[in-house]
């Protein structure tokens, strides 16, 4: 019998994958799964790592949508974006992580304009996720992502 999850944290950048994250959230909610996303973060005096850890700790599963856009890098971090920190923290907490990676040809919600340094940081992260030995799935369209989410053992 597949494992059933009650609460899922969905990680993605906003500029390129916000509508994808919203679609995944809608699917999960329709399946009775409570969803936590970055929109639930508010003003807080804690470090970004502490905020993210407190958001992920009560979740049963983490879903990472990984595109080619690095996204925002917190001021108290140098080499990791918010979404990369979310991935790292989920791994450290030993949460089940579903990895959905956008193919190079995917259509982002908005054009991606980032420095070469940020592009390289994100590409290294994508490669590390794909080489970590855990399952990951590639999607090029929202329809492909929708099918992958429905097929996942959530």
């Amino acid at each position: 019998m597949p494992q059933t999850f009650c609460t899922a944290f969905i990680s993605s950048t906003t500029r390129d994958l916000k509508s994808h994250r919203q679609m995944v959230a809608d699917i999960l909610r329709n399946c009775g799964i409570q969803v936590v996303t970055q929109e639930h973060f508010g003003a807080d005096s804690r470090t970004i790592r502490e905020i993210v850890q407190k958001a992920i700790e009560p979740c049963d599963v983490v879903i990472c949508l990984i595109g080619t856009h690095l996204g925002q890098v917190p001021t108290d971090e140098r080499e990791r974006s918010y979404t990369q920190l979310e991935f790292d923290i989920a791994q450290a907490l030993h949460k089940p992580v579903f990895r959905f990676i956008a193919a190079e040809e995917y259509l982002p919600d908005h054009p991606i304009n980032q420095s070469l340094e940020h592009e390289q940081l994100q590409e290294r992260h994508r490669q590390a996720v794909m080489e970590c030995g855990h399952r990951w799935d590639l999607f090029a369209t929202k329809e492909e992502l929708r099918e992958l989410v429905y097929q996942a053992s959530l």
Side-chain angles (χ1 to χ4, degrees), residues 118-131:
H118 280 186
E119 184 179 318
Q120 291 170 340
L121 282 171
Q122 183 64 2
E123 185 54 33
R124 281 196 298 272
H125 176 64
R126 287 167 55 88
Q127 287 302 314
V129 170
M130 289 188 276
E131 294 169 1

Side-chain angles (χ1 to χ4, degrees), residues 113-145:
N113 184 13
Q114 62 186 350
S115 70
L116 179 59
E117 177 187 10
H118 280 186
E119 184 179 318
Q120 291 170 340
L121 282 171
Q122 183 64 2
E123 185 54 33
R124 281 196 298 272
H125 176 64
R126 287 167 55 88
Q127 287 302 314
V129 170
M130 289 188 276
E131 294 169 1
C132 74
H134 293 280
R135 180 184 170 145
W136 52 271
D137 291 291
L138 199 65
F139 68 92
T141 66
K142 278 188 193 177
E143 293 72 27
E144 289 177 4
L145 178 59

Side-chain angles (χ1 to χ4, degrees), residues 4-151:
T4 303
F5 300 107
C6 297
T7 306
F9 184 92
I10 306 174
S11 172
S12 79
T13 52
T14 297
R15 179 154 190 84
D16 60 334
L17 292 170
K18 183 177 183 178
S19 68
H20 297 70
R21 181 175 66 231
Q22 185 60 53
M23 179 193 69
V24 172
D26 291 344
I27 291 169
L28 297 181
R29 286 185 187 110
N30 287 338
C31 293
I33 298 172
Q34 182 181 354
V35 173
V36 178
T37 64
Q38 66 179 334
E39 284 83 7
H40 294 98
F41 297 172
D44 201 307
S45 63
R46 296 174 292 177
T47 67
I48 293 303
R49 281 187 183 272
E50 292 169 333
I51 293 168
V52 171
Q53 183 165 334
K54 287 298 180 190
I56 292 176
E57 276 178 343
C59 294
D60 300 303
V61 64
V62 175
I63 298 171
C64 294
L65 308 181
I66 304 170
T68 57
H69 182 58
L70 178 69
Q72 295 295 317
V73 176
T75 55
D76 57 345
E77 295 287 335
R78 295 271 183 219
E79 296 287 316
R80 303 300 280 168
S81 70
Y82 284 97
T83 55
Q84 291 173 353
L85 286 172
E86 292 163 357
F87 179 81
D88 295 346
I89 290 168
Q91 296 279 92
L93 292 172
H94 306 288
K95 298 290 181 178
V97 178
F98 289 80
R99 300 156 184 86
F100 299 106
I101 300 176
E104 294 293 329
E105 67 272 14
Y106 86 104
L107 294 175
D109 292 341
H110 298 282
I112 298 171
N113 184 13
Q114 62 186 350
S115 70
L116 179 59
E117 177 187 10
H118 280 186
E119 184 179 318
Q120 291 170 340
L121 282 171
Q122 183 64 2
E123 185 54 33
R124 281 196 298 272
H125 176 64
R126 287 167 55 88
Q127 287 302 314
V129 170
M130 289 188 276
E131 294 169 1
C132 74
H134 293 280
R135 180 184 170 145
W136 52 271
D137 291 291
L138 199 65
F139 68 92
T141 66
K142 278 188 193 177
E143 293 72 27
E144 289 177 4
L145 178 59
R146 177 183 294 115
E147 287 303 312
L148 289 169
V149 171
Y150 278 121
Q151 292 170 11

